[in-house]
């Protein structure tokens, strides 16, 4: 407006009336600007409300799922569809977190139920034997009764000790030192050969020197648990197991230990074999006392591997049996 002269404007024809003055033009411009700004404000509010609602809708879905999870419902998933952006990545990450939490809570519930059953069984058996002895004290073989009570009591003690070791692995970091994993493997193979021979299981060892970093006592327990599992869950007759050790070809600088055994097909429970009190044929112990265990062998093995910052991979063999691979950090 500063370029508009401050006097009446007129046509080149002297007889024409004056067109407008500077105040007239300014008044018209202010009026038109106010109308335009009002329209733009209304359009901006409406468009902003629509755009904000569309943009924030994924956050509302995630918030709703978080509230349901906080209320104890972990089976709900956001499942956000659409183009890949920050919201879909957040939604997928949240769904993965919910899935892992649900698996963890389900595993804890199964652990509590199974642990209660496992610890209750020795107590119930002991009480039954004592009740029978109290009902007929003269007709009892007390030497045999004491032996059975001692055996049952020892089973409860073994379960409790295994649970304590499992708890310590997750809370107390083990002392690490450089060692040769091959020495530990050879020692454990010699330990289990007698039991394997008694069960008719052939042991094959292909052990190569491989430096690793870890706790010697825990690594020996790890290899022992894997071999005991391979021997006790093998074929009734004519089974075999193979133990190999050496550098990890897929991950240079790491040590690899592999235990492969024959046995019944395992397809549905492989992913859960590291859960407490789960055995190859289910949770319950087998009737054969020579093959009975507490169902904590692979659980403790997984805890030892986790304490050593390693990886434990369980794979069902196509013809039956299991292959366990342990990858551990190499020696510094």
């Amino acid at each position: 407006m500063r370029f508009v002269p401050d006097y009446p404007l007129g046509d080149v024809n002297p007889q024409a009336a004056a067109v407008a003055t500077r105040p007239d033009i300014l008044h018209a411009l202010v009026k038109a600007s106010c109308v335009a700004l009002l329209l733009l404000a209304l359009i901006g509010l409406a468009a902003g409300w629509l755009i904000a609602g569309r943009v924030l809708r994924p956050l509302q879905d995630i918030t709703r799922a978080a509230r349901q999870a906080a209320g104890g419902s972990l089976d709900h998933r956001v499942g956000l569809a659409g183009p890949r952006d920050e919201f879909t990545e957040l939604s997928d990450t949240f769904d993965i977190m919910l899935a892992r939490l649900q698996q963890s809570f389900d595993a804890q519930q199964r652990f509590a139920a199974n642990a209660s059953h496992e610890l209750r069984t020795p107590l119930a058996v002991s009480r039954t034997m004592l009740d029978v002895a109290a009902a007929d004290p003269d007709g009892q073989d007390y030497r045999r009764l004491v032996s059975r009570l001692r055996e049952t009591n020892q089973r409860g003690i073994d379960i409790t000790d295994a649970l304590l070791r499992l708890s310590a692995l997750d809370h107390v970091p083990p002392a690490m030192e450089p060692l040769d994993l091959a020495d530990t493997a050879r020692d454990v193979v010699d330990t289990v050969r007698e039991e394997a021979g008694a069960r008719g299981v052939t042991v094959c060892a292909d052990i190569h020197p491989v430096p690793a970093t870890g706790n010697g006592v825990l690594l020996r327990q790890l290899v022992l648990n894997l071999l005991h599992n391979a021997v006790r869950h093998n074929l009734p007759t004519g089974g075999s197991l193979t133990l190999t050790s050496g550098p990890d070809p897929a991950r240079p600088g790491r040590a690899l230990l592999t235990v492969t055994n024959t046995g019944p097909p395992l397809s549905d429970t492989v992913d859960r074999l590291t859960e407490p009190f789960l055995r190859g044929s289910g949770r319950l112990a087998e009737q054969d006392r020579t093959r009975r265990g507490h169902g904590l062998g692979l659980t403790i093995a997984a805890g030892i591997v986790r304490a050593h910052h390693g990886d434990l991979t369980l794979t069902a063999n196509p013809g039956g049996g299991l292959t366990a691979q342990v990858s551990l950090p190499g020696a510094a």
Side-chain angles (χ1 to χ4, degrees), residues 72-306:
S73 176
L74 298 176
D75 56 350
H76 178 73
R77 300 293 182 268
V78 180
L80 190 63
R84 301 299 303 176
D85 54 13
E86 290 79 2
F87 291 113
T88 53
E89 291 181 0
L90 177 61
S91 170
D92 294 343
T93 303
F94 190 79
D95 287 344
I96 294 174
M97 181 190 69
L98 287 180
R100 291 182 176 178
L101 285 175
Q102 186 176 16
Q103 293 176 357
S104 177
F105 288 146
D106 291 344
Q108 288 183 0
Q109 291 177 354
R110 288 192 297 268
F111 170 78
N114 295 339
S116 300
H117 179 85
E118 293 286 342
L119 293 174
R120 180 180 180 274
T121 300
L123 298 177
V125 172
S126 299
R127 179 176 178 177
T128 301
M129 289 189 291
L130 291 175
D131 289 344
V132 172
D136 185 15
D138 297 331
Q140 298 296 320
D141 183 353
Y142 287 99
R143 185 182 299 274
R144 183 169 178 267
L145 176 63
V146 170
S147 177
R148 293 180 61 187
L149 286 173
R150 181 181 180 85
E151 178 184 350
T152 305
N153 184 67
Q154 185 62 42
R155 178 174 177 81
I157 293 175
D158 291 342
I159 295 175
T160 305
D161 289 342
L163 291 175
L164 290 175
R165 290 197 302 270
L166 185 62
S167 176
L169 288 174
D170 294 330
H171 297 87
V172 181
M176 304 290 188
E177 61 181 0
L179 50 84
D180 191 349
L181 190 59
D183 296 336
T184 304
R186 291 191 189 95
D187 180 40
V188 177
V189 167
D190 294 338
T191 302
V192 301
R193 281 190 186 276
E194 182 179 355
E195 180 180 354
R199 298 176 183 273
V201 177
T202 304
V203 179
C204 301
D206 185 15
I207 301 174
H208 299 278
V210 52
T213 301
N215 183 280
V217 176
L218 292 180
L219 290 182
R220 187 183 188 283
Q221 184 67 44
L222 166 65
V223 181
L224 185 63
N225 285 8
L226 292 179
L227 291 182
H228 276 165
N229 181 79
V231 170
R232 296 170 183 176
H233 297 278
N234 216 302
L235 294 175
T237 57
S240 65
L241 72 87
T242 303
L243 171 67
T244 62
S245 68
D248 191 344
R251 305 170 68 179
R254 295 177 68 89
L256 181 65
L257 181 77
T258 304
V259 177
T260 303
N261 64 274
T262 56
L266 297 172
S267 57
D268 299 333
T269 60
V270 172
D271 296 336
R272 294 174 48 198
L273 284 178
T274 56
E275 290 187 14
F277 307 110
L278 185 68
R279 301 166 179 85
S281 57
R283 186 184 61 79
L284 297 178
E286 301 186 35
Q287 297 299 325
D288 185 1
R289 287 191 176 186
T290 62
R291 301 186 63 183
R292 289 179 61 181
H294 307 309
L296 293 171
L298 289 180
T299 305
I300 295 177
I304 294 174
V305 173
R306 187 168 54 251

Side-chain angles (χ1 to χ4, degrees), residues 4-16:
V4 178
D6 192 14
Y7 52 81
L9 302 178
D11 195 84
V12 293
N13 185 1
Q15 296 181 355

Side-chain angles (χ1 to χ4, degrees), residues 42-64:
L42 294 177
I43 294 174
L45 288 175
W49 183 78
L50 293 175
I51 294 175
R54 182 179 181 85
V55 171
L56 296 179
R57 188 176 299 116
L59 291 180
Q60 295 175 354
D61 295 338
I62 296 175
T63 301
R64 190 180 304 109

Side-chain angles (χ1 to χ4, degrees), residues 266 270 313-317 321-325:
L266 297 172
V270 172
T313 304
L314 301 178
T315 306
N317 299 327
L322 186 72
T323 295
Q325 287 187 328

